[in-house]
Amino acid sequence: MSNTQNTQSSQIQTGDDLARQALEETNQGSDVATTLVSLQNVIERNANELDRINEELKIQRQSLKNIFENDENLAAAEHQAQEVTQKVKERKSELKNSLEANQLQSDITDLSTQKKEVQEALNNHLLNYYQMTGSKMFDTSTGEQREFDIRASMKGAKKAA
């Protein structure tokens, strides 16, 4: 901040100072009209100061934006980053379409289907076990105990066709 701005800001009363002054005048017997005019003046000064600050912020932000937009090194680095990103996308696409990747994806799909089927069967058996024993634990053939949870989920209502 320059010396002239420092001098100006030290001479300008804040909104709180002016509001306090207006309220003191009211307490000293000033009439409501005088207080209202003083308050309106405070509001106007604060609104004008806010407008001035907002304009200065706009200018400063634009200047900062210009620094980034006009930097040749940054522009070159961004261009290189875009080229590398494009190469990465192309390579991923090539790998995804390879015979090995397609086979692995097919295997994953098959295993996921098997997993879902086994989980459904296991859930039914565990529910039956719980209904028969009231226990959420079972003994394995190795002597370990395994614990399980009982869950219920609500499915959406079927719409009439």
Side-chain angles (χ1 to χ4, degrees):
M1 196 178 264
S2 69
N3 287 339
T4 55
Q5 288 177 327
N6 284 335
T7 307
Q8 287 176 343
S9 64
S10 64
Q11 292 174 351
I12 297 175
Q13 290 181 318
T14 66
D16 289 342
D17 293 338
L18 293 170
R20 199 175 305 108
Q21 182 182 358
L23 288 174
E24 287 173 4
E25 289 175 8
T26 301
N27 292 336
Q28 296 172 356
S30 296
D31 65 340
V32 174
T34 303
T35 303
L36 184 59
V37 168
S38 296
L39 185 56
Q40 286 174 330
N41 289 336
V42 168
I43 291 169
E44 183 179 355
R45 278 190 218 114
N46 280 317
N48 289 338
E49 181 67 5
L50 184 60
D51 290 343
R52 184 194 67 75
I53 291 170
N54 281 335
E55 186 60 32
E56 184 65 23
L57 275 170
K58 182 179 173 184
I59 292 167
Q60 297 295 330
R61 285 183 178 131
Q62 185 61 46
S63 295
L64 181 61
K65 182 180 175 186
N66 289 342
I67 288 173
F68 288 98
E69 288 178 349
N70 296 326
D71 186 79
E72 291 179 17
N73 291 336
L74 178 60
E78 286 177 338
H79 181 69
Q80 288 174 345
Q82 288 174 351
E83 287 178 348
V84 169
T85 300
Q86 184 60 35
K87 288 179 183 177
V88 167
K89 287 179 184 178
E90 289 171 2
R91 184 62 185 148
K92 279 186 177 181
S93 179
E94 289 171 6
L95 291 173
K96 187 177 181 180
N97 292 327
S98 72
L99 183 60
E100 184 180 6
N102 284 328
Q103 183 59 49
L104 288 170
Q105 186 60 47
S106 176
D107 293 347
I108 289 170
T109 302
D110 292 343
L111 286 171
S112 294
T113 302
Q114 289 176 16
K115 177 183 172 184
K116 185 177 179 180
E117 291 171 357
V118 170
Q119 280 180 327
E120 286 179 21
L122 180 60
N123 286 341
N124 288 334
H125 295 307
L126 289 172
L127 182 59
N128 290 336
Y129 181 84
Y130 175 73
Q131 288 172 340
M132 292 174 65
T133 65
S135 174
K136 293 183 185 177
M137 295 182 84
F138 67 93
D139 296 327
T140 66
S141 60
T142 61
E144 294 178 303
Q145 284 193 328
R146 302 242 353 224
E147 190 174 352
F148 60 92
D149 291 324
I150 304 289
R151 293 189 191 113
S153 62
M154 179 66 75
K155 295 187 178 182
K158 298 207 179 207
K159 295 181 180 179

